[in-house]
């Protein structure tokens, strides 16, 4: 035994440095942890015995506990059966993300990041930016607010940001990430300034989200950004002249659908082509979309009035009605009603206001021409619009041509055009069987036919792992209330306001029946789909309200 030091210890307790002379000396047998020089001593300091489990202390009583890390934090509430693990490969990301978005935050399943993360964790800023850019393309393409949120949620969780809350309105997207219960949240937002109809681009974005959320596909942030840039630069699948020709064929097919002949077909096609070119001219001059619709609605109405003034024995009402079919904003109406039914009331209100402005633009353009025609002595018969000749074979063929050309105008992928054409043909056959053969009211017949469109469209989209819009939007074309709209406008032009407003109300009811039917068909299809973490889709809870309270 050697000589003891001043503190009375033996040689095996000899201090290693001057710091060990403090009363806070690390006990023998404990490995001291490296502490920064400016580290203050606090009663909230992490005990040395927990050094292997907890991260390096931050030097503050408000330091983030390790139990609330972004990757391993437990939920605030643990249900009796336990917390299921969210595996992105168990089902399509659309169904999985919609389910979790409808859950309270404290009972959402624990996520498993689908993409590999670096040792330092996810790049929060870049992930949020990528998420917003993807959501912007989806919202600008006409996707519903809930589906946009589901896509944003899938991207964020796939890259390790499990505490994200996306928010979508009509023109603004935002997302907030909470690293822990004590760290400051990180928020970012993006404004949607331009909207365009390109379902080919929409399908590419859906494929990108599917690859990101799939655990077996390694899609780094750099790869996702590269593919997103390619999607933005991607050219439309159809040239401009083909879109104009499709607008003409659509109007001609719609005029045949409501009883027109060969002359009416050609007149309606010519009016739609002139209206389309005039609208492009207005767009090139920077005029708002309202005035574009006013200009596009005038040529078909002018040709119909000119045929009556020339005393040519044709159905001018079919010419004008065919032009209206190419303009009625059915896509925007379906999206508006879908947002309202899923609880996005602000976005739904904005979309409905957009539909109202576009519809008023169509009314203004047609009313101006009809009023001038009546002043010039055109013998326009309102009842002519309601006398639709039943020609089942011709009408079925016309409805399918209408859907086919509508799909081209929506810039759909060539592989989806045939499917949506068949879906539209089934919709018109269903409507004709219920209304003409069965004598059921137009609103009820339209709702049932639109429900089949939504059902089949949702099933097709699940089979192709894509958005449901390309399989639904064009298929509702034959169901749009073109005849009721023209009938109401002509009555108003003849100063029969009560009857005219009643007919426009009927047209609005048919349009709402289309939107509600499509949404109901889509939700019906989801009732039979298995959702991971639940024994059946019936346990996919939605918000519940009792008697308005």
């Amino acid at each position: 035994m050697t000589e003891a030091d001043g503190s009375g210890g033996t040689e095996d307790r000899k201090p290693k440095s001057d710091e060990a002379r403090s009363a806070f000396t690390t006990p023998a047998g404990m490995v001291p942890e490296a502490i920064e020089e400016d580290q203050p001593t606090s009663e909230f300091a992490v005990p040395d015995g927990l050094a292997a489990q907890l991260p390096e202390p931050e030097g503050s009583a408000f330091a983030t506990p390790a139990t609330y890390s972004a990757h391993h934090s437990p939920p605030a509430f643990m249900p009796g059966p336990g917390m299921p693990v969210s595996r992105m490969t168990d089902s399509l990301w659309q169904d999985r993300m919609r389910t979790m978005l409808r859950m309270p935050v404290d009972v959402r399943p624990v996520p498993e990041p689908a993409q590999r993360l670096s040792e330092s964790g996810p790049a929060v800023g870049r992930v949020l930016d990528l998420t917003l850019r993807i959501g912007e393309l989806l919202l600008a393409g006409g996707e519903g607010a809930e589906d946009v949120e589901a896509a944003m949620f899938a991207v964020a969780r796939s890259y390790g940001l499990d505490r994200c809350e996306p928010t979508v309105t009509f023109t603004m997207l935002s997302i907030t990430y909470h690293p822990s219960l004590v760290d400051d949240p990180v928020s970012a937002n993006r404004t949607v300034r331009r909207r365009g109809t390109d379902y080919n681009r929409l399908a590419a974005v859906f494929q990108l989200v599917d690859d990101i959320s799939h655990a077996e596909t390694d899609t780094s942030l750099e790869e996702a950004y590269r593919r997103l840039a390619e999607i933005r630069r991607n050219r439309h699948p159809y040239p401009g002249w083909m879109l104009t020709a499709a607008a003409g064929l659509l109007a001609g097919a719609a005029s045949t659908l409501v009883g027109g002949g060969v002359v009416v077909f050609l007149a309606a096609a010519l009016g739609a082509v002139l209206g389309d070119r005039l609208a492009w001219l207005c767009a090139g001059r920077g005029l708002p979309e309202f005035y574009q619709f006013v200009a596009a609605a005038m040529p078909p109405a002018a040709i119909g009035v000119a045929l009556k003034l020339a005393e040519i024995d044709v159905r001018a009402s079919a010419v004008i009605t065919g032009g209206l079919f190419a303009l009625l904003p059915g896509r925007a109406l379906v999206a508006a009603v879908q947002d309202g039914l899923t609880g996005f009331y602000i976005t739904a209100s904005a979309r409905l206001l957009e539909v109202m402005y576009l519809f008023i633009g169509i009314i203004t353009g047609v009313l101006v021409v009809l009023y001038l025609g009546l002043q010039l002595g055109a013998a326009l018969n309102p009842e002519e619009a309601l006398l639709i000749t039943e020609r089942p074979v011709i009408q079925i063929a016309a409805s399918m041509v209408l859907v086919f050309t509508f799909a081209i105008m929506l810039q759909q992928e060539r592989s989806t055009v045939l499917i949506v054409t068949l879906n539209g043909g089934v919709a018109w056959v269903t409507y004709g069987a219920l209304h003409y053969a069965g004598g059921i009211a137009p609103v009820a017949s339209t709702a049932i036919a639109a429900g089949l469109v939504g059902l089949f469209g949702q099933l097709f989209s699940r089979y192709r792992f894509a958005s449901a819009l390309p399989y639904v939007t064009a298929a509702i074309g034959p169901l749009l209330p073109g005849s009721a709209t023209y009938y109401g406008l002509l009555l108003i032009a003849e100063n029969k306001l009560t009857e005219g407003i009643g007919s426009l109300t009927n047209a609005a009811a048919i349009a709402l029946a289309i939107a509600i039917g499509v949404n109901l068909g889509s939700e019906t299809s989801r009732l039979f789909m298995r959702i991971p973490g639940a024994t059946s889709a019936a346990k996919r809870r939605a918000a519940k309200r009792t008697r308005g309270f």
Side-chain angles (χ1 to χ4, degrees), residues 38-375:
D38 58 348
Q39 171 90 9
T41 303
S42 170
E43 63 271 23
F44 295 100
V46 180
D48 293 335
L50 297 180
Q53 291 80 23
L54 298 183
E56 184 177 351
E58 300 293 337
S60 171
F62 299 98
T64 305
T67 53
Y68 294 108
S69 68
H71 303 294
H72 307 290
S73 60
F77 167 74
M78 178 67 73
M83 188 66 67
V85 175
S86 171
R87 298 183 183 276
M88 304 298 295
T89 57
D90 289 343
S91 70
L92 298 178
W93 64 266
Q94 298 100 309
D95 297 326
R96 184 60 188 165
M97 293 302 107
R98 282 169 61 98
T99 302
M100 286 194 288
L101 281 173
R102 294 182 179 184
M103 290 180 180
V105 179
D106 57 344
V107 297
R108 286 177 183 169
V110 178
E112 282 189 352
Q115 300 300 326
R116 299 175 183 175
L117 303 177
S118 61
E119 296 181 357
S120 59
V124 176
R126 299 192 67 195
V127 172
L128 296 184
D129 179 70
L130 176 67
T131 302
L132 289 173
R133 291 178 182 272
I134 290 177
E136 178 191 11
L137 286 180
L138 293 177
L139 187 62
E143 194 64 70
E146 187 176 36
D147 292 327
V148 175
E149 283 197 0
M152 295 172 64
F153 201 56
V155 173
R157 288 172 69 94
S158 298
Y159 285 111
L161 305 186
D162 55 329
R163 292 190 185 89
C164 277
E165 287 298 331
T167 303
V168 175
T169 59
F170 186 58
T171 57
M172 176 72 73
L173 301 107
S174 63
I175 186 169
T176 302
Y177 169 59
H178 297 267
S180 68
L181 295 179
V182 293
D183 283 337
D184 294 332
V186 181
S187 298
N189 59 69
R190 195 172 183 86
T191 302
V192 179
R193 303 202 179 273
R194 295 190 62 184
R195 299 177 183 274
T197 303
D198 189 344
Y199 284 177
N200 184 50
R201 176 180 295 176
L202 190 70
V205 176
F206 261 74
Q207 182 61 51
L208 174 59
V209 177
D210 183 68
D211 291 342
I212 291 175
S213 58
H214 203 284
E216 298 179 0
T217 304
D218 186 12
T219 307
S220 63
L221 280 172
E222 290 74 15
E223 174 68 13
Y225 268 108
R226 184 190 63 80
R227 290 178 56 180
L228 193 62
E230 290 180 354
I231 293 172
R232 286 181 174 275
R233 294 192 302 264
N234 188 26
R235 297 180 61 86
H236 298 309
Y238 310 106
W241 65 266
M242 185 177 292
L243 298 180
T244 301
L249 288 176
L250 189 154
S255 66
T256 305
L257 193 66
V258 296
V262 177
V263 177
V264 171
F265 179 95
L266 296 176
L270 177 61
V273 169
L274 293 177
D276 181 76
R277 288 295 89 192
L278 190 57
W280 275 106
L281 180 62
C282 294
R285 296 296 185 272
L287 290 177
E289 200 170 13
F290 173 84
Y291 299 105
Q292 298 175 29
F293 272 77
V294 172
M298 285 184 171
I303 291 179
V305 170
L307 292 175
K308 280 299 183 180
L309 290 174
E311 298 182 355
I312 300 177
D313 188 17
V314 295
R315 297 189 59 175
S317 62
V319 176
I320 302 175
T321 301
L324 290 177
F325 268 86
L327 297 176
L328 293 177
R331 173 182 60 87
L333 179 63
V334 171
V337 174
Q338 178 182 351
D339 288 342
L341 294 177
T342 52
F344 294 83
Y345 299 116
I346 296 178
T347 307
S349 301
R351 288 188 190 270
L352 286 175
L353 188 61
E354 179 192 36
V355 171
M356 185 188 72
Y357 272 109
L358 299 181
F359 194 67
I360 291 176
I362 298 171
I363 291 175
T364 302
V366 175
L367 269 181
V368 169
V369 176
L370 291 181
Y371 181 78
L372 293 177
L374 292 175
Q375 298 303 313

Side-chain angles (χ1 to χ4, degrees), residues 350-522:
R351 288 188 190 270
L352 286 175
L353 188 61
E354 179 192 36
V355 171
M356 185 188 72
Y357 272 109
L358 299 181
F359 194 67
I360 291 176
I362 298 171
I363 291 175
T364 302
V366 175
L367 269 181
V368 169
V369 176
L370 291 181
Y371 181 78
L372 293 177
L374 292 175
Q375 298 303 313
L376 295 175
L380 298 173
N381 181 16
E383 303 298 331
E384 185 183 68
L386 303 180
L387 300 176
I388 300 177
T389 305
E390 296 182 24
R391 301 174 295 177
V393 177
I394 295 178
Q395 287 177 318
I396 293 174
S399 66
M400 296 182 71
V401 172
L402 190 155
V403 175
F404 178 82
T405 53
F406 200 178
I408 293 178
M409 292 182 64
L410 293 173
Q411 302 280 4
Q412 292 190 196
E413 291 181 296
R414 291 179 173 86
S415 60
T416 65
V417 172
L418 178 60
I419 297 176
V420 72
T421 300
L422 295 176
N423 197 13
V426 171
W428 178 256
V429 170
T430 303
Y431 173 81
L434 294 175
H435 178 56
Y436 296 117
I440 300 177
V443 174
S445 302
T446 301
I448 296 174
L452 290 179
V453 169
L455 176 62
F456 293 148
Q458 196 65 233
L459 296 178
F460 283 137
S461 69
R462 292 302 181 265
Y463 176 73
R464 298 291 297 271
F465 303 98
S467 170
L469 286 181
Y471 303 96
V472 170
T473 304
I476 65 174
L479 305 177
L480 294 174
S483 298
T485 303
Y486 166 73
Y487 180 67
L489 294 179
L490 185 54
L491 289 175
I492 293 176
E494 293 180 345
N495 204 25
K496 299 178 181 178
L497 296 179
T498 304
E499 295 86 345
I501 293 176
S503 181
L504 291 180
T505 303
N506 183 43
I510 294 175
L512 288 176
I514 293 174
I516 295 175
V518 168
N519 181 266
L520 182 60
S522 300

